[in-house]
């Protein structure tokens, strides 16, 4: 049973506390509401508006089961004496006063919740390709830099949860890694060796306090596109150059293309990108050319060393998410100062092909050459003797 709101919060019978919650449009919030041990069996509800006309958004007496009504969900955990409310797909007009309520005879028990929704550009979907990798970037406000972040797959129990407690280190769990760059207010999620089973809905959560957290949900779509090879192997001499060509799907024609150099554990130690079609990127060790009509990214790497063993061709969305499509492995050979015996063999073979007249001449052995010279000398001596006579 609800009662009439009086002049101040402290004058309302049954009030437990008041909390302030901040969410972001397109995302969601999770709010934890506490209640007294004696009311575990009672109905729990979450309503909106001033108390005199508070409108129930969801209400249930179910225990240990998520109950959903529209964008609202409620879960009552009687052992912990809390019930949890989740609001998804937040909109700015959701900003208002809400109440976590426990129904009882007499005055209900409740917590005031002041929700403020801030406009944002949420992650909607990220595309990746089988056999490749993906980086998802999640930008947050600097006031949340010291809050714990979580990453998991939704639709049930999280199959992996990674807590980033360090400032810049990568936290790894199998094929999944997370880095919380607090100086930039950026959470990066790296997924390697993608397969079609990775497709689904994912959630990035920021835990602000014990009372609430906010989250962003996005769909990860993994495809196996016939346009693109998964791996390329090339050879190059140390100190020389090597050319790379990578196809990309038509859906990424307008996206930025990049070539990423991997070194050790670094996901992308160095990167060169090209933003325009049919125009070379600025000069340097790596130059790129994007032919959007052919859906072909061409690259040239100069001054090749043994460290240039692995590169990735990929595309970058307008939100900064990256899809690594084709792996490029480069076998770097030593550069020799003098031609080797095999080089001479190659030159000889090349000459015989280019000069068929020379190749048609029968080889002359050493012994036959001596005999021929002797015959010629004998004829000359005989002629001289004949002239003298």
């Amino acid at each position: 049973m609800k009662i009439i709101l009086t002049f101040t919060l402290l004058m309302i019978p049954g009030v437990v506390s008041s909390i302030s919650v901040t969410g972001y449009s397109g995302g969601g919030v999770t709010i934890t509401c506490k209640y007294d041990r004696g009311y575990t069996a009672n109905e729990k509800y979450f309503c909106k508006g001033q108390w005199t006309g508070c409108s129930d958004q969801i209400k249930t007496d179910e225990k240990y089961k998520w109950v959903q009504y529209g964008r609202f969900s409620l879960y009552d955990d009687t052992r912990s004496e809390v019930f949890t409310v989740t609001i998804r797909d937040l909109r700015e007009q959701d900003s208002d006063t809400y109440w976590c309520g426990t129904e009882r005879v007499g005055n209900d028990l409740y917590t005031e919740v002041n929700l403020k929704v801030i406009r944002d550009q949420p992650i909607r979907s990220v595309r990746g390709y089988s056999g490749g990798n993906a980086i998802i970037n999640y930008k947050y406000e600097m006031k949340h830099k010291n809050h714990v972040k979580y990453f998991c797959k939704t639709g049930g129990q999280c199959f992996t949860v990674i807590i980033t407690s360090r400032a810049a280190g990568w936290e790894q769990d199998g094929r999944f890694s997370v880095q919380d760059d607090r100086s930039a207010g950026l959470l990066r999620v790296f997924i390697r060796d993608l397969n079609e089973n990775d497709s689904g809905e994912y959630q990035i959560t920021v835990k602000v306090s014990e009372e609430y957290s906010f989250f962003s949900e996005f769909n990860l779509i993994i495809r196996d596109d016939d346009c693109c090879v998964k791996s390329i192997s090339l050879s190059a001499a140390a100190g020389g150059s090597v050319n790379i060509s990578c196809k990309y799907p038509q859906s990424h024609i307008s996206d930025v293309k990049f070539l990423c150099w991997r070194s050790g554990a670094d996901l992308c130690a160095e990167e060169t990108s090209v933003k325009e079609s049919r125009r070379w990127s600025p000069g340097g060790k790596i130059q790129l050319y994007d032919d959007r009509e052919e859906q072909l990214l061409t690259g040239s790497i100069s001054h090749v060393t043994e460290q240039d063993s692995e590169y990735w061709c990929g595309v970058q969305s307008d939100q900064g998410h990256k899809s690594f499509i084709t792996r490029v492995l480069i076998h770097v050979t030593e550069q020799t100062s003098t031609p080797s015996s095999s080089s001479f063999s190659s030159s000889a073979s090349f000459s015989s092909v280019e000069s068929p007249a020379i190749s048609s001449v029968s080889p002359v052995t050493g012994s036959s050459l001596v005999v021929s010279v002797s015959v010629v000398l004998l004829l000359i001596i005989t002629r001289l003797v004949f002239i003298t006579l």
Side-chain angles (χ1 to χ4, degrees):
M1 180 185 299
K2 298 171 187 175
I3 63 168
I4 298 176
L5 183 68
T6 52
F7 296 103
T8 66
L9 184 65
L10 294 176
M11 295 176 64
I12 303 175
V15 70
V16 176
S17 62
S18 175
I19 61 175
S20 296
V21 175
T22 300
Y24 299 85
S25 60
V29 290
T30 299
I31 303 162
T32 300
C33 306
K34 297 181 180 180
Y35 56 83
D36 292 341
R37 180 175 299 179
Y39 302 100
T40 56
N42 296 47
E43 270 192 311
K44 311 303 187 303
Y45 59 86
F46 191 73
C47 66
K48 177 182 180 180
Q50 295 302 317
W51 189 252
T52 52
C54 188
S55 174
D56 288 339
Q57 305 300 298
I58 189 169
K59 185 176 184 178
T60 182
D61 59 1
E62 292 277 358
K63 314 300 176 188
Y64 303 107
K65 177 182 177 182
W66 278 105
V67 177
Q68 184 173 344
Y69 186 78
R71 296 181 294 121
F72 294 81
S73 302
L74 191 152
Y75 184 92
D76 188 5
D77 182 353
T78 59
R79 282 192 291 267
S80 300
E81 299 158 19
V82 298
F83 69 90
T84 303
V85 174
T86 296
I87 313 173
R88 286 184 165 81
D89 191 21
L90 287 171
R91 302 144 192 183
E92 290 182 78
Q93 55 266 35
D94 289 328
S95 298
D96 209 326
T97 300
Y98 295 81
W99 306 83
C100 294
T102 300
E103 199 164 74
R104 65 173 182 173
V105 177
N107 299 323
D108 290 354
L109 297 172
Y110 41 84
T111 298
E112 183 184 42
V113 179
N114 294 298
L115 174 63
K116 180 181 179 180
V117 180
I118 299 173
R119 180 180 296 179
D120 194 19
Q121 291 184 333
I123 305 171
R124 293 299 185 185
S125 64
V126 178
R127 283 176 289 181
Y129 297 89
S130 296
N133 308 324
I135 290 180
I136 298 105
N137 294 310
Y138 177 71
K139 187 75 176 174
Y140 57 83
E141 290 187 277
M142 292 304 294
K143 65 181 180 181
H144 299 303
K145 67 178 183 179
N146 293 322
H147 294 144
V148 175
K149 318 314 188 287
Y150 298 86
F151 171 75
C152 65
K153 191 172 185 179
T154 56
Q157 292 291 328
C158 292
F159 75 94
T160 181
V161 177
I162 301 173
I163 305 174
T164 57
S165 56
R166 296 200 299 268
W170 283 93
E171 300 283 344
Q172 183 173 345
D173 184 354
R175 295 181 298 113
F176 294 80
S177 301
V178 172
Q179 181 195 50
D180 187 5
D181 187 348
R182 297 175 185 175
S183 62
L186 185 65
L187 186 75
R188 297 185 181 94
V189 178
F190 179 71
I191 311 175
R192 56 176 58 84
D193 299 328
L194 293 166
N195 61 73
E196 293 186 5
N197 292 329
D198 292 325
S199 294
E201 191 174 74
Y202 290 77
Q203 188 178 95
I204 295 174
T205 301
V206 179
K207 185 177 180 180
V208 180
S209 67
E210 294 299 323
E211 296 173 323
Y212 90 94
S213 59
F214 63 87
F215 59 85
S216 179
E217 294 176 307
F218 64 92
N219 282 315
L220 179 61
I221 304 167
I222 306 301
R223 296 174 179 169
D224 193 356
D225 201 299
D226 295 334
C227 83
C228 317
V229 296
K230 297 178 181 179
S231 181
I232 299 172
S233 294
L234 302 171
S235 294
S241 61
V242 63
N243 295 325
I244 297 171
S245 293
C246 301
K247 293 282 287 184
Y248 54 82
Q250 186 177 12
S251 56
H252 295 290
I253 284 179
S254 300
D255 289 338
V256 174
K257 316 304 182 307
F258 67 84
L259 187 64
C260 169
W261 169 51
R262 287 204 64 186
S263 176
D266 290 329
L267 305 179
C268 197
E270 185 177 332
E271 179 183 307
T272 301
S273 61
V274 58
K275 300 179 181 179
E276 298 178 85
S277 180
R278 296 189 171 180
R279 180 172 295 183
W280 285 96
S281 62
K285 178 181 173 67
I286 302 174
Q287 289 184 283
L288 295 180
Y289 184 87
D290 181 15
D291 188 337
R292 296 183 178 180
E293 290 187 10
E294 298 294 330
Q295 297 166 224
L296 184 66
L297 176 66
T298 302
S300 176
I301 305 173
S302 60
H303 310 296
V304 174
T305 67
E306 291 184 358
Q307 283 70 41
D308 295 307
S309 59
E310 182 179 355
Y311 284 83
W312 280 88
C313 296
V315 295
Q316 177 177 312
S317 71
D318 56 357
Q319 288 187 314
H321 313 309
K322 297 177 181 178
S323 181
F324 298 71
I325 300 174
T326 301
R327 186 186 189 194
V328 181
L329 298 175
I330 303 175
H331 175 63
V332 182
T333 59
E334 291 185 5
Q335 187 180 37
T336 55
S337 55
T338 58
S340 63
S341 59
S342 60
S343 298
F344 282 117
S345 300
S346 300
S347 299
S349 300
F350 180 77
S351 298
S352 66
V353 173
E354 294 295 323
S355 306
I358 296 174
S359 63
S360 63
V361 177
S362 300
V364 180
T365 62
S367 59
S368 60
L369 180 60
V370 172
V371 172
S372 299
V373 171
S374 300
V375 171
V376 171
L377 289 174
L378 180 60
L379 290 172
I380 293 172
I381 293 170
T382 303
R383 185 172 180 81
L384 290 174
V385 171
F386 179 79
I387 292 171
T388 303
L389 293 175

